Structures are given as C-alpha cells and as structure tokens.
Amino acid sequence: MTQTRLSAQLDELARRDLIRSRRILEGPQGPRVAIGGRDYLAFCSNDYLGLANHPRINAAAIAAVQRFGVGAGASPMVTGHNALHQRLEEKLAAFAGLPRALLFPSGYQANIGAVTALVGRSDAVFSDKLNHASLIDGARLSRAEVTRYAHGSVASLARALAASDAKVKLVATDSVFSMDGDIAPLPEILALCERHDAWLLVDDAHGLGVLGAGGRGALEHFGLASPRIVYVGTLGKAAGVAGAFVAGAEEIVETVLQRARTYIFSTAAPAMLAAAVEESLDVMREEAWRRAHLAELIAALKDGLAGSAARLAPSSTPVQPLIVGANAAALALAEFLRERGILVPAIRPPTVPEGTARLRISLSAAHSIDDVRQLVQALRAMPSLPQGA
Ligand SMILES: *Cc1c(COP(=O)(O)O)cnc(C)c1O
C-alpha cells in the first residue's frame, strides 16, 4: 500500500536523525521568541538587521492595506501589478545600481524564473556546489547542461568554462553562502565570465542589507558593475519583509518578465509587501548603525569563542556555523542550548552535505552584546564535541 511505503520512508528519515519539525512561535520574530509559553534567546533567523518587526515598516504595511487591501488578486500580467509595485521596482533598481528590477513574491521563484528564462536546452549552467536549492532547481528545470564546480573555486570554474562549447553560458553563485557564511570570489568569477562570454547570476539573499558600506550588498562590497550581471536580491532576510527581485540590464529583465513561468503564472505579492519593502529601504539607509552594531556582534562572538573547543567556520558575515559532523550530535548540542533558553538551529542534510551537520548561528542587529555574551557562555559550556563525526 502506498501509505505503508510512505511510513517506511518516514521511519527511515527518523532512523537517520533527519526528521524535521517546526517550532510554533507565539509572537513576532526577534532576538527573543516565545514558544510553548517560554521565551528563548534566538540565533535562528535571517533578520540580520532586526527589521522584521520594525514600527515604521509595520506602519507602512498597515497604511498600504487601508489604500490597496490585502490581496493583489491576479498575476502581475493580469491586473495584479499596481502603483506600489511599480514604484518599488524603480527604487530596487536604484538601490542595486542596475538599470531595471522585477519584483517576485519570493526568492525561490526569482531564482527559478531567472535561470529558466535565460538558458535552455543546448545551453550550460555552472553552479557552485553549495548553491541554494532554488538555483539548483532552476538549473534542472532549464534543461541546460549543469556543471557543479568546487565550492568557491575559481580554478574549478575556469576548467569547466574552458571545456564547454555551449552557445549560452550562465554562471550562478550565492554571494554569501547561506549555511557557511563565506563570500564567493565574485571579482574573479566575473573576470572569468568576461573571458568566456557568460552571464553571471549573483544570488545576494544573504548579502543585501549586510554587505557594502551602504548595505547595498555584494556588488557594492566588491565595487562590481557589468552588463552581464543578473542580480537576485531577496527581501525576507535583512530587509525584514518578504519577496525578491531580479535586476540587471533592460534586456535581461524584460526577458525574465516575458518568459519566467514562476512570474507569469503566480499571483502578485500584496501591495502591502511593496509598501513595507519601500519603507525598509529607507530604514536601512537611515539607520546605518544597524550594520555597525552587527559588525560588533560578529566580532564579540568570535572573540568570545577564541581558543575554546567551539570552533566556528571562517566567516565574516552574520552567518556563523559551528560544524559538528553527525546529525545526532548536532541535534544533541541544539537541545543542550535549548535547555539553557537559547535557540540555535541544527542544520542537517540535504541542506548541507552529508557528514557536515552543524549549528548555524545567525546574528541580528536586534541582539545586544549581552545576548552574544550569553551565547558564548553556553557554547563554552557545551559537552565536548564527539570525535570522528
Ligand atoms: C532564502 C534564500 C533564497 C530564497 O528566498 P525566499 O525569498 O526565502 O524564497 C534564495 N537564495 C538563497 C541563497 C537563500 O538563502
């Protein structure tokens, strides 16, 4: 029976410590979250600037609901696109420093839409081994030939590009890797794209708002500009809201608009989302202290753990992983912290490669230095990590 087979598959997941479950938050996202009637100090969200419950952004959403209602009602192609979406797209293009931007309801849709619109059968996609699932799925759906190059390796990418005779080539990479926190060598990757006449898709989900002097993300961080860049920014992480955009040259964005099935066949995001994001862009610019504070928190965490058994992977971003190895060990450490009132997620395969389960610590400008000290204390008190995991 089908059901029996599903139960057997679920049992197998449980046996491998891969069952996932959701915690039910009883209030807003923030440095403290309420779960089961208890408050936890949380290092789990991608709300890097602490904007997910910002009064000005909340107020902008409410005002937009009063003018535009809650539902967009249709695909953007069929009356779902309104004045707030249009104005936001113009502001997002200016924010990213690119000619044009197209707003999507989510980053997952934006990545799949951009990749499938730009390449097809007989083309080639070159994808970093640790890229986000949405880029992997976009590449598969595109039917292009996919080559996965070694993580962050310019040499591996160079070999793959040189060996390809595809007519159209697309290199796709996360800017900041979501589970590792390290930054892709974008200037070198862009130089390779120039040499091999390839598009470069930069997924800046974890860079936007965080990287660059003005928080404009990875392109600002590296000072990059090129008509071959396809930029994807997401708006549910540092920007604190939801949604995403694809930005780039006029022809790129118009092609995505005409061809991306995840855009054409999906209801537009509510206007309140556009209004909230617009306000968030202003807050990000005006409250530059949030980025400075975040940098202090990252330094405090690293300093606090220096010389301890809790060794963080190298990362200069708010994503600070502590790689454990075995799934059960990562779960046990997360539980150890939870009993002490601290939430840090245990991340397991397939989100990360087999044998690299980890605690993924993420910091937010809404944390205080004291919050980080508390985390450091708990991490230093962790039972010793199992060997050979
Ligand atoms: C979260 C994430 C996405 C997906 O964005 P959503 O808006 O959450 O759908 C895409 N790429 C990366 C690297 C991400 O971390």
Side-chain angles (χ1 to χ4, degrees), residues 198-228:
W199 297 111
L200 172 57
L201 188 155
V202 177
D203 175 353
D204 206 20
H206 301 271
L208 187 151
V210 171
L211 295 182
R216 286 157 196 270
L219 303 186
E220 182 187 33
H221 174 79
F222 285 116
L224 297 181
S226 163
R228 61 180 71 247

mmCIF file of all heavy atoms in Angstrom, residues 198-228:
data_model
loop_
_atom_site.group_PDB
_atom_site.id
_atom_site.type_symbol
_atom_site.label_atom_id
_atom_site.label_comp_id
_atom_site.label_asym_id
_atom_site.label_seq_id
_atom_site.Cartn_x
_atom_site.Cartn_y
_atom_site.Cartn_z
ATOM 1 N N ALA A 198 30.080 34.674 -20.539
ATOM 2 C CA ALA A 198 28.999 34.026 -19.790
ATOM 3 C C ALA A 198 28.213 35.064 -18.990
ATOM 4 O O ALA A 198 28.752 36.106 -18.594
ATOM 5 C CB ALA A 198 29.598 32.987 -18.836
ATOM 6 N N TRP A 199 26.947 34.765 -18.732
ATOM 7 C CA TRP A 199 26.172 35.551 -17.771
ATOM 8 C C TRP A 199 26.641 35.199 -16.367
ATOM 9 O O TRP A 199 27.046 34.061 -16.117
ATOM 10 C CB TRP A 199 24.681 35.200 -17.830
ATOM 11 C CG TRP A 199 23.970 35.475 -19.101
ATOM 12 C CD1 TRP A 199 23.475 34.550 -19.978
ATOM 13 C CD2 TRP A 199 23.624 36.752 -19.633
ATOM 14 N NE1 TRP A 199 22.850 35.174 -21.028
ATOM 15 C CE2 TRP A 199 22.921 36.529 -20.840
ATOM 16 C CE3 TRP A 199 23.833 38.064 -19.224
ATOM 17 C CZ2 TRP A 199 22.423 37.559 -21.632
ATOM 18 C CZ3 TRP A 199 23.351 39.096 -19.998
ATOM 19 C CH2 TRP A 199 22.658 38.844 -21.191
ATOM 20 N N LEU A 200 26.521 36.154 -15.449
ATOM 21 C CA LEU A 200 26.826 35.852 -14.043
ATOM 22 C C LEU A 200 25.602 36.167 -13.189
ATOM 23 O O LEU A 200 25.225 37.334 -13.028
ATOM 24 C CB LEU A 200 28.022 36.680 -13.548
ATOM 25 C CG LEU A 200 28.299 36.576 -12.034
ATOM 26 C CD1 LEU A 200 28.531 35.134 -11.598
ATOM 27 C CD2 LEU A 200 29.487 37.451 -11.646
ATOM 28 N N LEU A 201 24.964 35.115 -12.670
ATOM 29 C CA LEU A 201 23.841 35.329 -11.750
ATOM 30 C C LEU A 201 24.373 35.325 -10.315
ATOM 31 O O LEU A 201 24.974 34.339 -9.869
ATOM 32 C CB LEU A 201 22.775 34.239 -11.926
ATOM 33 C CG LEU A 201 21.466 34.481 -11.148
ATOM 34 C CD1 LEU A 201 20.299 33.766 -11.807
ATOM 35 C CD2 LEU A 201 21.540 34.082 -9.677
ATOM 36 N N VAL A 202 24.168 36.439 -9.627
ATOM 37 C CA VAL A 202 24.589 36.566 -8.224
ATOM 38 C C VAL A 202 23.346 36.534 -7.347
ATOM 39 O O VAL A 202 22.484 37.409 -7.451
ATOM 40 C CB VAL A 202 25.353 37.896 -7.997
ATOM 41 C CG1 VAL A 202 25.713 38.047 -6.527
ATOM 42 C CG2 VAL A 202 26.600 37.956 -8.865
ATOM 43 N N ASP A 203 23.245 35.505 -6.518
ATOM 44 C CA ASP A 203 22.131 35.401 -5.571
ATOM 45 C C ASP A 203 22.589 36.040 -4.257
ATOM 46 O O ASP A 203 23.344 35.444 -3.499
ATOM 47 C CB ASP A 203 21.773 33.919 -5.381
ATOM 48 C CG ASP A 203 20.703 33.716 -4.312
ATOM 49 O OD1 ASP A 203 20.335 34.692 -3.629
ATOM 50 O OD2 ASP A 203 20.250 32.570 -4.147
ATOM 51 N N ASP A 204 22.099 37.253 -4.023
ATOM 52 C CA ASP A 204 22.584 38.048 -2.889
ATOM 53 C C ASP A 204 21.634 37.981 -1.686
ATOM 54 O O ASP A 204 21.507 38.945 -0.922
ATOM 55 C CB ASP A 204 22.766 39.500 -3.352
ATOM 56 C CG ASP A 204 23.803 40.264 -2.533
ATOM 57 O OD1 ASP A 204 24.652 39.625 -1.881
ATOM 58 O OD2 ASP A 204 23.758 41.514 -2.558
ATOM 59 N N ALA A 205 20.976 36.814 -1.517
ATOM 60 C CA ALA A 205 19.987 36.667 -0.440
ATOM 61 C C ALA A 205 20.561 37.053 0.926
ATOM 62 O O ALA A 205 19.882 37.677 1.740
ATOM 63 C CB ALA A 205 19.471 35.229 -0.401
ATOM 64 N N HIS A 206 21.821 36.674 1.169
ATOM 65 C CA HIS A 206 22.409 36.944 2.489
ATOM 66 C C HIS A 206 23.402 38.100 2.460
ATOM 67 O O HIS A 206 24.086 38.351 3.456
ATOM 68 C CB HIS A 206 23.079 35.678 3.037
ATOM 69 C CG HIS A 206 22.113 34.537 3.183
ATOM 70 N ND1 HIS A 206 21.369 34.330 4.332
ATOM 71 C CD2 HIS A 206 21.730 33.587 2.308
ATOM 72 C CE1 HIS A 206 20.594 33.274 4.148
ATOM 73 N NE2 HIS A 206 20.783 32.810 2.936
ATOM 74 N N GLY A 207 23.485 38.798 1.322
ATOM 75 C CA GLY A 207 24.398 39.934 1.233
ATOM 76 C C GLY A 207 23.654 41.265 1.278
ATOM 77 O O GLY A 207 24.112 42.241 1.884
ATOM 78 N N LEU A 208 22.471 41.288 0.654
ATOM 79 C CA LEU A 208 21.688 42.516 0.617
ATOM 80 C C LEU A 208 21.407 43.012 2.034
ATOM 81 O O LEU A 208 20.965 42.240 2.885
ATOM 82 C CB LEU A 208 20.364 42.265 -0.130
ATOM 83 C CG LEU A 208 19.475 43.461 -0.407
ATOM 84 C CD1 LEU A 208 18.656 43.251 -1.658
ATOM 85 C CD2 LEU A 208 18.534 43.774 0.755
ATOM 86 N N GLY A 209 21.701 44.294 2.272
ATOM 87 C CA GLY A 209 21.458 44.885 3.595
ATOM 88 C C GLY A 209 22.624 44.692 4.542
ATOM 89 O O GLY A 209 22.735 45.406 5.539
ATOM 90 N N VAL A 210 23.481 43.715 4.236
ATOM 91 C CA VAL A 210 24.559 43.346 5.157
ATOM 92 C C VAL A 210 25.917 43.777 4.610
ATOM 93 O O VAL A 210 26.729 44.371 5.316
ATOM 94 C CB VAL A 210 24.544 41.815 5.390
ATOM 95 C CG1 VAL A 210 25.775 41.364 6.148
ATOM 96 C CG2 VAL A 210 23.270 41.406 6.143
ATOM 97 N N LEU A 211 26.179 43.444 3.340
ATOM 98 C CA LEU A 211 27.477 43.758 2.733
ATOM 99 C C LEU A 211 27.463 45.160 2.133
ATOM 100 O O LEU A 211 26.413 45.682 1.752
ATOM 101 C CB LEU A 211 27.813 42.754 1.630
ATOM 102 C CG LEU A 211 28.039 41.291 2.020
ATOM 103 C CD1 LEU A 211 28.411 40.478 0.782
ATOM 104 C CD2 LEU A 211 29.115 41.161 3.086
ATOM 105 N N GLY A 212 28.663 45.743 2.012
ATOM 106 C CA GLY A 212 28.791 47.057 1.377
ATOM 107 C C GLY A 212 28.618 48.170 2.388
ATOM 108 O O GLY A 212 27.846 48.030 3.342
ATOM 109 N N ALA A 213 29.329 49.278 2.147
ATOM 110 C CA ALA A 213 29.275 50.393 3.095
ATOM 111 C C ALA A 213 27.843 50.898 3.264
ATOM 112 O O ALA A 213 27.430 51.276 4.360
ATOM 113 C CB ALA A 213 30.191 51.513 2.615
ATOM 114 N N GLY A 214 27.054 50.885 2.191
ATOM 115 C CA GLY A 214 25.673 51.371 2.262
ATOM 116 C C GLY A 214 24.665 50.238 2.386
ATOM 117 O O GLY A 214 23.462 50.459 2.240
ATOM 118 N N GLY A 215 25.135 49.003 2.629
ATOM 119 C CA GLY A 215 24.219 47.870 2.759
ATOM 120 C C GLY A 215 23.590 47.457 1.447
ATOM 121 O O GLY A 215 22.577 46.758 1.428
ATOM 122 N N ARG A 216 24.199 47.865 0.325
ATOM 123 C CA ARG A 216 23.607 47.535 -0.975
ATOM 124 C C ARG A 216 24.024 46.161 -1.471
ATOM 125 O O ARG A 216 23.687 45.773 -2.587
ATOM 126 C CB ARG A 216 23.965 48.616 -1.994
ATOM 127 C CG ARG A 216 23.177 49.871 -1.745
ATOM 128 C CD ARG A 216 23.851 51.102 -2.331
ATOM 129 N NE ARG A 216 23.267 52.293 -1.760
ATOM 130 C CZ ARG A 216 22.230 52.927 -2.283
ATOM 131 N NH1 ARG A 216 21.682 52.502 -3.400
ATOM 132 N NH2 ARG A 216 21.744 53.997 -1.690
ATOM 133 N N GLY A 217 24.772 45.464 -0.657
ATOM 134 C CA GLY A 217 25.031 44.066 -0.979
ATOM 135 C C GLY A 217 26.373 43.808 -1.636
ATOM 136 O O GLY A 217 27.289 44.628 -1.600
ATOM 137 N N ALA A 218 26.448 42.611 -2.242
ATOM 138 C CA ALA A 218 27.734 42.089 -2.729
ATOM 139 C C ALA A 218 28.344 42.942 -3.830
ATOM 140 O O ALA A 218 29.564 43.079 -3.897
ATOM 141 C CB ALA A 218 27.527 40.663 -3.237
ATOM 142 N N LEU A 219 27.518 43.524 -4.703
ATOM 143 C CA LEU A 219 28.089 44.310 -5.809
ATOM 144 C C LEU A 219 28.762 45.557 -5.248
ATOM 145 O O LEU A 219 29.859 45.935 -5.677
ATOM 146 C CB LEU A 219 27.015 44.685 -6.835
ATOM 147 C CG LEU A 219 26.247 43.519 -7.465
ATOM 148 C CD1 LEU A 219 25.330 44.028 -8.576
ATOM 149 C CD2 LEU A 219 27.188 42.447 -8.000
ATOM 150 N N GLU A 220 28.119 46.189 -4.259
ATOM 151 C CA GLU A 220 28.733 47.357 -3.627
ATOM 152 C C GLU A 220 29.991 46.937 -2.853
ATOM 153 O O GLU A 220 31.025 47.607 -2.931
ATOM 154 C CB GLU A 220 27.746 48.027 -2.667
ATOM 155 C CG GLU A 220 28.340 49.279 -2.033
ATOM 156 C CD GLU A 220 27.477 49.888 -0.938
ATOM 157 O OE1 GLU A 220 26.776 49.145 -0.214
ATOM 158 O OE2 GLU A 220 27.512 51.116 -0.786
ATOM 159 N N HIS A 221 29.912 45.821 -2.148
ATOM 160 C CA HIS A 221 31.040 45.317 -1.365
ATOM 161 C C HIS A 221 32.300 45.191 -2.229
ATOM 162 O O HIS A 221 33.389 45.594 -1.830
ATOM 163 C CB HIS A 221 30.658 43.955 -0.782
ATOM 164 C CG HIS A 221 31.751 43.226 -0.058
ATOM 165 N ND1 HIS A 221 32.121 43.534 1.223
ATOM 166 C CD2 HIS A 221 32.555 42.193 -0.449
ATOM 167 C CE1 HIS A 221 33.105 42.716 1.602
ATOM 168 N NE2 HIS A 221 33.380 41.906 0.610
ATOM 169 N N PHE A 222 32.129 44.644 -3.445
ATOM 170 C CA PHE A 222 33.283 44.421 -4.325
ATOM 171 C C PHE A 222 33.460 45.541 -5.355
ATOM 172 O O PHE A 222 34.401 45.501 -6.147
ATOM 173 C CB PHE A 222 33.114 43.098 -5.077
ATOM 174 C CG PHE A 222 33.362 41.862 -4.239
ATOM 175 C CD1 PHE A 222 32.345 40.958 -3.985
ATOM 176 C CD2 PHE A 222 34.630 41.597 -3.725
ATOM 177 C CE1 PHE A 222 32.578 39.798 -3.242
ATOM 178 C CE2 PHE A 222 34.872 40.447 -2.985
ATOM 179 C CZ PHE A 222 33.845 39.546 -2.741
ATOM 180 N N GLY A 223 32.527 46.495 -5.408
ATOM 181 C CA GLY A 223 32.606 47.538 -6.435
ATOM 182 C C GLY A 223 32.446 46.987 -7.845
ATOM 183 O O GLY A 223 33.150 47.388 -8.758
ATOM 184 N N LEU A 224 31.511 46.048 -8.028
ATOM 185 C CA LEU A 224 31.342 45.398 -9.331
ATOM 186 C C LEU A 224 30.211 46.026 -10.128
ATOM 187 O O LEU A 224 29.162 46.363 -9.575
ATOM 188 C CB LEU A 224 31.016 43.913 -9.150
ATOM 189 C CG LEU A 224 32.078 43.041 -8.487
ATOM 190 C CD1 LEU A 224 31.581 41.604 -8.429
ATOM 191 C CD2 LEU A 224 33.400 43.138 -9.242
ATOM 192 N N ALA A 225 30.425 46.158 -11.426
ATOM 193 C CA ALA A 225 29.366 46.569 -12.340
ATOM 194 C C ALA A 225 29.652 45.917 -13.679
ATOM 195 O O ALA A 225 30.799 45.900 -14.126
ATOM 196 C CB ALA A 225 29.344 48.083 -12.489
ATOM 197 N N SER A 226 28.634 45.337 -14.286
ATOM 198 C CA SER A 226 28.814 44.731 -15.602
ATOM 199 C C SER A 226 27.450 44.439 -16.194
ATOM 200 O O SER A 226 26.545 43.997 -15.482
ATOM 201 C CB SER A 226 29.598 43.427 -15.475
ATOM 202 O OG SER A 226 29.442 42.651 -16.652
ATOM 203 N N PRO A 227 27.311 44.661 -17.510
ATOM 204 C CA PRO A 227 26.015 44.355 -18.143
ATOM 205 C C PRO A 227 25.720 42.859 -18.159
ATOM 206 O O PRO A 227 24.606 42.462 -18.473
ATOM 207 C CB PRO A 227 26.178 44.893 -19.569
ATOM 208 C CG PRO A 227 27.645 45.069 -19.778
ATOM 209 C CD PRO A 227 28.267 45.270 -18.441
ATOM 210 N N ARG A 228 26.717 42.010 -17.803
ATOM 211 C CA ARG A 228 26.421 40.566 -17.810
ATOM 212 C C ARG A 228 25.974 40.060 -16.439
ATOM 213 O O ARG A 228 25.734 38.871 -16.272
ATOM 214 C CB ARG A 228 27.592 39.775 -18.356
ATOM 215 C CG ARG A 228 28.873 39.887 -17.599
ATOM 216 C CD ARG A 228 29.983 39.053 -18.252
ATOM 217 N NE ARG A 228 30.447 39.604 -19.511
ATOM 218 C CZ ARG A 228 30.262 39.007 -20.697
ATOM 219 N NH1 ARG A 228 29.648 37.852 -20.776
ATOM 220 N NH2 ARG A 228 30.710 39.569 -21.790
#
